Amino acid sequence: MADTSGLSAQLPELNMYPRDCTAVGSCNNMTENAAIGFTRQIAGESANAEVDRFINEATLLVNTMTLDDPAVTSSAFNMGMGDPMYMRYRLIQALGADILSRVYTISTAMVSLILSQVDSLSAWMQVAFAAQVALVVGAVAVFVRVALRRVRIEGRTLTAMLYLIPENVMAKDAPRIAKFLESGGLIVDLSGLVIGGGEGKTKS
């Protein structure tokens, strides 16, 4: 199963797709050397294919140089400039250098991709934070509005109940409240009041 979140899936144009190396100076200024088999066609392969080619060529070279036949092994270690194994060795060098340049390009693109994802995530986090703040402020505003409305209703109810009490009863049992109601709330006499015990007696 293909990795949909892997490097090849994230940057397919740099990993899975071939590239055009026909123009001079293209493909990181690669130097073509047909004598060793490193052509622009090979350099134009996808990065994954070039890595596979590098591994296969290196495996063939190592296997040839580690044969059990001493004569063949000695010949391999004393190969000349025109020897096919030497040409393969130089091809491996050219493939390795080209792969390194492509890895640098891929790493640069990966850093840019990560930074863009971080910027996008940061923007979403800011939007989410602003939305949460708006929700909290809205909830507090609704709560305060509902709570104050209830307090106002209860306050009006209590005030109305006070006016329903006959004036003679109010003047006899709660003279301070009677004075408060007569003054329209301008006069508040709290002297002699005992917390939790209702209205106390004024000392003579």
Side-chain angles (χ1 to χ4, degrees), residues 10-175:
Q10 294 289 330
L11 300 169
E13 69 281 1
L14 298 178
N15 293 276
M16 301 173 60
Y17 300 154
R19 57 181 181 171
D20 185 10
C21 297
T22 56
V24 178
S26 61
C27 298
N28 300 321
N29 292 317
M30 60 83 61
T31 301
E32 184 178 19
N33 190 341
I36 63 175
F38 187 63
T39 62
R40 292 189 179 276
Q41 182 179 0
I42 292 178
E45 295 177 342
S46 66
N48 294 340
E50 190 172 16
V51 170
D52 290 339
R53 181 183 292 273
F54 174 85
I55 294 174
N56 293 334
E57 293 292 341
T59 301
L60 289 173
L61 180 63
V62 171
N63 290 339
T64 303
M65 298 180 68
T66 56
L67 293 175
D68 293 333
D69 189 346
V72 176
T73 304
S74 176
S75 174
F77 277 103
N78 292 280
M79 52 189 174
M81 296 293 292
D83 191 277
M85 283 185 290
Y86 178 72
M87 294 300 177
R88 175 167 286 139
Y89 169 72
R90 291 189 59 192
L91 173 60
I92 293 171
Q93 283 186 318
L95 289 172
D98 191 52
I99 290 172
L100 285 177
S101 66
R102 298 180 80 163
V103 168
Y104 177 77
T105 301
I106 292 172
S107 63
T108 302
M110 198 64 186
V111 170
S112 299
L113 178 63
I114 292 174
L115 290 178
S116 64
Q117 291 178 345
V118 169
D119 291 340
S120 178
L121 181 60
S122 177
W124 277 109
M125 290 179 64
Q126 292 177 1
V127 171
F129 177 76
Q132 289 181 350
V133 171
L135 287 175
V136 171
V137 172
V140 171
V142 171
F143 174 78
V144 170
R145 182 176 181 180
V146 172
L148 290 179
R149 182 172 178 271
R150 183 174 179 180
V151 170
R152 284 196 296 268
I153 293 174
E154 292 181 353
R156 291 171 182 172
T157 302
L158 291 174
T159 304
M161 290 178 63
L162 291 176
Y163 280 101
L164 293 176
I165 300 175
E167 293 183 4
N168 57 343
V169 176
M170 182 71 70
K172 179 181 178 182
D173 296 335

Side-chain angles (χ1 to χ4, degrees), residues 153-204:
I153 293 174
E154 292 181 353
R156 291 171 182 172
T157 302
L158 291 174
T159 304
M161 290 178 63
L162 291 176
Y163 280 101
L164 293 176
I165 300 175
E167 293 183 4
N168 57 343
V169 176
M170 182 71 70
K172 179 181 178 182
D173 296 335
R176 292 184 178 82
I177 297 178
K179 185 182 296 184
F180 173 74
L181 294 176
E182 291 175 359
S183 66
L186 297 178
I187 301 176
V188 181
D189 186 3
L190 299 178
S191 61
L193 291 180
V194 179
I195 298 177
E199 184 182 9
K201 295 182 178 180
T202 306
K203 296 181 181 179
S204 56

